[in-house]
Amino acid sequence: MLTSKAALITGSTSGIGLAIAQALAANGCNIVLNGLGDPTAIEQTRSHMAREYGVSVFYHGADLSQSDEIEAMMAYAEDQLGGIDILVNNAGIQHVALTEDFPVEKWNAIIAINMNSNFHTTRLALPGMKRKNWGRIINIASAHGLVGSAQKSAYVTAKHGVVGFTKVTGLETAKTGITVNAICPGWVRTELVEKQIAARATADNISVEAAATSLLVEKQPSLQFVTPAALADTALFLCGSSADQITGTTISMDGGWTAQ
Ligand code: NAD
């Protein structure tokens, strides 16, 4: 159990981030949720999580492309929970296009949200973690933090950056009770991937299920999607004492994608 630890999970209004937030709450953490979405649905998620698990659950709607909004979110977490023990950098977006066609504003947004936000949350969380001599930073990178794919220049660049940042911050905290690691998922069937499945179904004039299978065939030898719940279990493991000596590294959960 992680009773009374304070956890902030970016991009936790859906998908992988929401599953990790639920798992941490179920294990006794007080939570700060973050992410975009319909305010009523977000409030339902927040209040349901608090009731279901008997923990405090807060929400901050910082747009992670803006460093001043990240600073406000971190100050809010400090005010509500006295700092952050577990930081999960999970928020992310995708855009698919050839490099010469890549919209500059999409490039900038992906680099800001998928990579730069990890720097800002981490730099602001580390002083408090160092004071307590305990902390966990879990960066949700990707198989694309380790290998490339055509038409994903911004995403692959950002995720490789996250893996590099994980190594450096793992080294910088190695003599403390803080660990920093990246989880590198392959395909997970969340909103982010449903958009790519739908685009493929339209482009190839095939059904959504056929498009989902074709994504797996192309990259993921297990031919199965990774589940948010399995990723949440790995995040929980990284928070436990058995993982004290795991730091500055990546854990692939990709059905064999990066073994090829
Ligand atoms: P998702 O679209 O379900 O969730 C993304 C979350 O990020 C949402 O809560 C969204 O509101 C939030 N978000 C987006 N832009 C934001 C912004 N500007 N400010 C604050 N929050 C913002 O997608 P997901 O698949 O759960 O993705 C979570 C993470 O996992 C991402 O970093 C993604 O790159 C990574 N990932 C996903 C897969 C996959 O196959 N789904 C594979 C590897 C890595």
Side-chain angles (χ1 to χ4, degrees), residues 171-240:
L171 284 173
E172 288 178 358
T173 53
K175 291 190 173 61
T176 72
I178 303 164
T179 68
V180 188
N181 291 290
I183 299 176
C184 295
W187 293 120
V188 190
R189 205 154 174 189
T190 62
E191 255 173 64
L192 184 140
V193 163
E194 288 297 348
K195 285 183 199 150
Q196 294 173 65
I197 293 172
R200 182 172 290 220
T202 307
D204 297 353
N205 196 23
I206 53 176
S207 71
V208 167
E209 284 320 301
T213 302
S214 104
L215 279 192
L216 290 172
V217 167
E218 198 175 281
K219 299 283 186 189
Q220 200 146 301
S222 67
L223 301 183
Q224 292 182 50
F225 286 95
V226 185
T227 64
L231 291 162
D233 275 347
T234 299
L236 271 184
F237 165 71
L238 285 172
C239 291

Side-chain angles (χ1 to χ4, degrees), residues 74-173:
M74 300 302 280
Y76 176 76
E78 180 77 39
D79 286 349
Q80 299 299 336
L81 295 175
I84 295 166
D85 304 301
I86 298 168
L87 169 65
V88 183
N89 287 309
N90 165 79
I93 58 169
Q94 176 62 286
H95 185 79
V96 179
L98 287 172
T99 300
E100 63 267 36
D101 301 328
F102 217 91
V104 171
E105 67 279 7
K106 290 281 184 200
W107 172 279
N108 289 338
I110 290 174
I111 297 297
I113 295 164
N114 296 17
M115 186 180 79
N116 294 349
S117 73
N118 292 25
F119 163 63
H120 294 298
T121 53
T122 301
R123 74 179 167 82
L124 295 165
L126 276 175
M129 290 180 177
K130 284 188 174 170
R131 272 195 299 278
K132 294 183 192 170
N133 198 32
W134 196 90
R136 292 289 188 260
I137 301 178
I138 301 169
N139 299 323
I140 306 303
S142 170
H144 284 125
L146 303 169
V147 296
S149 289
Q151 303 205 27
K152 293 189 174 174
S153 54
Y155 189 88
V156 169
T157 300
K159 294 298 188 180
H160 275 67
V162 169
V163 169
F165 185 58
T166 302
K167 292 177 184 173
V168 173
T169 44
L171 284 173
E172 288 178 358
T173 53

